[in-house]
Amino acid sequence: MSVLGRLGRPLPGLRRLSVQEVRGGARMVLCATLSWYLSVELGINSAPIAAVLPAVFTLSGIPLWAPRLGLYRLGSVLLGVGIAAVALRWLPVSTLSLAVVVSAGYLASLLLRIDGVPSQQVLVSAVLVFGVPVSGYPEQRVLENLVGIAVVILLGPLLWPPDPCRLLSGRLDAYRDRLDRLLEEPVPHPGRAPLGREAGQGPAGGLWQQPYDLGRDLDRARKALRWSVTHRRSAAALDEVGHRIQLAERTVAPLHCLTAQLQASGGSTADGPCAVHSGEGPGPLLDAVRHALIRALAGADPADAVARARAIGEQGGPAGSGRHDSLLRGLLLLVLDRLDDYREAHFTGR
């Protein structure tokens, strides 16, 4: 029984697979297998490796992006094969010729970008075709990619397509929860590591990059919905999530500066609306702004919370408040201004 019990436990360092990961693997396997089968049946090749690669690389992300990424991959393959074909026609197969092909492929990859990233597929296709100077191989590689990309574009988005709105909303909720914990206790207690320090990261553990990553993926999701038949109606819900992501992007800079100032000072500021002391909770203004922001990021109307924070902010600090307190207060009021803009744009008149 003890042996069976040990076998049933997960191995150290491994975690349980999520439903989304299992579906992603099944989607990739089905598309890759079908691409291979069709290429063999069409007589393109008995071992069409290139037909499998679009499923492996294109479906590694959100499948709704597959059509756009597939067409981008096709253009990269055609460009790379063209470079190698021209080189094979006019140059002998040699080390110097390979250097020319690699140089041309690298320059072409800089010209053909997606989301600002150079296309490595141009260079890979050029080198592979140049390294196999066999009659008919360039055409064969193009045909194999055509089959694989066609399967990915037509079938990939239809196999258990994830809802991009739900994915982005879940990631935004995770950001909101971490931000709430960080602002609730911005200064560490003695003997306790700040948020994220346990994992060997900075105090915020990559927190401030998350809104920008969400904004990037939001743009990709909007483009992907143009190709989606199953989730085209999600555009309205995606816009609502998008408004909250934009709020997170607009407030990340002042919040980053605020928490950096609090961490650097160790909470040694004068008593007042922005005061934070080691061993004590956040000051009234910080607490009020935190409550309003977390409420807004959750999709609720922050009007009452913003009004409460404004009332606290209008009380002002003590006469002896220094420059550091004024800086913290100004950053918190800037966050309130961003919240006001968000509220007026999306909740006025409801």
Side-chain angles (χ1 to χ4, degrees), residues 90-266:
W90 298 103
L91 298 174
V93 178
S94 65
T95 304
L96 182 59
S97 299
L98 175 64
V100 173
V101 170
V102 171
S103 300
Y106 174 72
L107 292 175
S109 71
L110 297 179
L111 297 176
L112 189 61
R113 299 170 180 258
I114 184 168
D115 299 325
V117 180
S119 172
Q120 297 300 318
Q121 184 58 48
V122 177
L123 187 55
V124 170
S125 296
V127 172
L128 286 177
V129 172
F130 183 79
V132 186
V134 178
S135 177
Y137 179 73
E139 295 83 355
Q140 177 182 299
R141 183 168 180 84
V142 170
L143 289 175
E144 290 179 21
N145 272 278
L146 278 173
V147 173
I149 290 169
V151 171
V152 163
I153 289 177
L154 297 176
L155 188 60
L158 300 180
L159 294 174
W160 310 290
D163 187 350
C165 180
R166 187 174 65 178
L167 289 176
L168 292 174
S169 181
R171 289 170 56 190
L172 181 61
D173 289 343
Y175 167 77
R176 187 192 70 227
D177 292 342
R178 290 193 63 202
L179 180 65
D180 189 22
R181 296 198 305 272
L182 185 64
L183 294 180
E184 189 175 18
E185 190 176 340
V187 178
H189 287 273
R192 183 162 57 188
L195 181 65
R197 184 65 59 84
E198 296 87 349
Q201 302 168 334
L207 182 70
W208 308 120
Q209 184 58 36
Q210 292 181 21
Y212 300 116
D213 292 341
L214 283 167
R216 177 202 61 202
D217 291 342
L218 173 67
D219 292 337
R220 291 178 176 176
R222 283 171 171 164
K223 294 175 182 177
L225 285 181
R226 302 172 189 170
W227 301 83
S228 174
V229 177
T230 56
H231 285 93
R232 190 167 294 175
R233 296 179 180 177
S234 301
L238 191 62
D239 285 340
E240 191 277 331
V241 176
H243 297 324
R244 290 188 279 145
I245 290 176
Q246 289 170 0
L247 174 63
E249 286 185 289
R250 295 195 65 205
T251 54
V252 69
L255 289 174
H256 189 184
C257 183
L258 173 73
T259 54
Q261 289 292 326
L262 290 172
Q263 290 285 338
S265 66

Side-chain angles (χ1 to χ4, degrees), residues 20-35 51-70 73 148-162:
Q20 207 61 48
E21 288 171 330
V22 172
R23 289 176 175 176
R27 183 189 305 113
M28 185 182 300
V29 169
L30 286 174
C31 289
T33 304
L34 181 59
S35 299
V52 177
L53 295 180
V56 174
F57 293 109
T58 305
L59 292 178
S60 59
I62 296 179
L64 293 179
W65 300 345
R68 178 167 169 258
L69 294 177
R73 179 181 177 85
I149 290 169
V151 171
V152 163
I153 289 177
L154 297 176
L155 188 60
L158 300 180
L159 294 174
W160 310 290

